[in-house]
Amino acid sequence: MHVGESFRSGRNWLSDFIPATGMKGVHWVVVLLSLVMTLIAWQIAEQQVEKQIRQRFESSLDRTVGLIEDRMNKYEDALWAGVSAVESHGGDMTLKQWRIFSQNLRIEERYPGINGIGVIHFLDGANDQEYLRTRRAERADFVIHPQHDQAVSMPISFIEPQASNAAAVGLDVAHEENRRTAALASRDTGKAQITGPIVLVQDEGATPGFLFYAPFFAGGPQPDVTSRRENFLGAVYAPFVVRKLLDGLLSQELRQINLSISDDGETIYDEHLADDPLYDPDPLFTREIKLPLYGREWQLDVRTNLAFRQGNSVSQPILILIGGLIIEALLISIFLMLSRAHKSAIKYADRVTEELRQKTETLERTNSELQQFAYAASHDLKTPIRGIGGLTGLLREDLKEYMSSKDANPDVAMGLELIEERVRRMQNLTSGILEFSRSGCAQADEPPLDLRKFVTDLRSDLDLPSDALDLNGSVDQISVAPSSCRRVLENLVTNAIKHHDNKRPIKVILTATESGDWMEIAVSDNGPGIDEAYHAKVFEMFQTLRMSSAAESTGLGLAIVKKAVVQNGGHVWVESEPGKGATFRFLWPIETSSPNELPCEQAA
């Protein structure tokens, strides 16, 4: 029963009970209930606003972290380009050849934030004199420095642009622990690595920096640690000043968040300074993030600044509260003036209460509409995304003759490929959001899911060998919400295949058994496995543990799995260790579906 209806049902007996007092008791009840409704409306509005502001913070945070990762991936590509250049010259290059390569790379134009790019050679004592003769033939004053007691030397042979990096030429990176440790780690892993915090010899400001290594070997990439150590020739490297790196990412004034970065407890970048005009001593949101990055783990301390506070000072909840309190004051004044005319006062109170009830219904309706936003937005985005893809195709067709000419600018083709790649990512993301919104919905008169036919069809759809996907267990078909269960199984199997490291032939086993009133269904693979620290995180939206070289992922697959399982009353979890594959298990009802399940046409 609504508040207004309660007043109407009690009005008659109250009018008869206290006619002499002018129904002052009822007046105060109305005031109290109206105040409660105002407070409820204020709290609902405040929660909604806080949720929206938090989402803006999360979006800004994700964008900043993504920019750091994308920029480092781009720098890594430049290093591997240098490795390819060295290997194309038989494992070594002259100073002149390296200078030509670096000039064509255009690092100052295409890689802002990088100090330079150079080559480090590995010396074990046997080849030191020959190396020095070669270098001094190119540069007579070449000297390896400083002296140290390590068994090996790793001098910097070249670095371009040379003018701003002259102090680094001949520097033996083996002399200092952070430089040496990361260089040897890149040798042993065969992967790009960064150092712990260092101060670059060419940095007059002596600010924190780091080196970025990509190793190269005699005969190209090596399969194991032993062969890498035996054939290690050196590394292509780039020096960075952290301040210059982040200055090249995004203007601090546009980010609305400040951050500090530390590595192993040492602060290498800090924007949390009291003399900063955007510094907020009491930030609205803070977050500490651990960012694994090429053999190191950066700790990011992210806080909102004054620009964020000014841009998110939404006054709607306060206005609702003030408006409600004004209404209470008016009610009290009216009741005091009309205490002898209790019937008119009660009618007025009913009207005000009804208005407040409608405000609450409006807020509830708005909340429901917000829940539909993700579905509508992702659905509506499909048309412009397809349009962008179509226009890009037309551009590529129109520019076909130009791009095949010798005067063609390679950046044009690169730009078109970048647009097409972003279109594919947006298409995958919007499709994932649509599937997430509709996951768990029921279809009328669905036939049971035949697991054996499903496995056979899935092998065909994914072009898998007959022994790559097997079915075990005592359950052959699923009768409860079969389409939802099919989506869960398709996502789990596809996820296992997408994230397989290809170190061994793919093997996925689907097992379905009865367990009381439930079916326990498991999808096991022989992939790289998942660390226990990420077992809960993988089921969150937009979360993915893929490496930069892995297949593109929207981070929605396992979130869709969890939503569908939970909506059908079940539970999903993962059992895995790094290097030992992963098993995703979930419980599915045998006889009755979840009461939360919706028809597909009603599901958001």
Side-chain angles (χ1 to χ4, degrees), residues 365-423:
R365 185 166 54 254
T366 300
N367 185 50
S368 176
E369 291 170 354
L370 285 174
Q371 292 175 356
Q372 304 296 323
F373 176 76
Y375 175 82
S378 59
H379 184 274
D380 292 345
L381 280 173
K382 282 184 171 291
T383 297
I385 291 171
R386 284 196 297 266
I388 293 172
L391 288 173
T392 306
L394 292 175
L395 282 174
R396 183 178 290 279
E397 183 67 24
D398 292 342
L399 295 173
K400 183 176 180 181
E401 181 177 348
Y402 167 75
M403 291 168 62
S404 61
S405 68
K406 63 179 181 179
D407 298 327
N409 187 343
D411 288 344
V412 175
M414 183 181 300
L416 290 175
E417 291 172 1
L418 183 62
I419 293 173
E420 291 169 344
E421 190 271 337
R422 291 295 186 266
V423 168

Side-chain angles (χ1 to χ4, degrees), residues 250-258 271 276-278 305 307-308:
L250 183 66
S251 171
Q252 180 182 349
E253 289 76 9
L254 298 179
R255 270 191 276 120
Q256 295 193 344
I257 59 173
N258 288 2
E271 292 178 346
D276 188 330
L278 292 176
N305 57 24
F308 185 90

Side-chain angles (χ1 to χ4, degrees), residues 500-563:
H500 197 275
D501 55 12
N502 295 320
K503 293 182 178 179
R504 61 196 69 80
I506 296 174
K507 184 67 175 180
V508 181
I509 300 175
L510 192 158
T511 306
T513 57
E514 292 190 7
S515 178
D517 295 333
W518 299 87
M519 281 179 287
E520 182 175 315
I521 304 176
V523 176
S524 304
D525 64 63
N526 62 344
I530 303 171
D531 191 281
E532 184 177 359
Y534 302 104
H535 283 188
K537 182 178 180 181
V538 295
F539 292 104
E540 298 176 8
M541 289 185 66
F542 306 116
Q543 299 294 327
T544 176
L545 302 182
R546 75 180 186 93
M547 299 299 291
S548 61
S549 60
E552 184 64 46
S553 173
T554 63
L556 285 169
L558 294 180
I560 292 171
V561 167
K562 181 177 180 181
K563 179 180 178 183

Side-chain angles (χ1 to χ4, degrees), residues 158-173:
F158 324 121
I159 181 167
E160 294 294 333
Q162 181 177 319
S164 58
N165 292 280
V169 176
L171 180 71
D172 189 345
V173 300

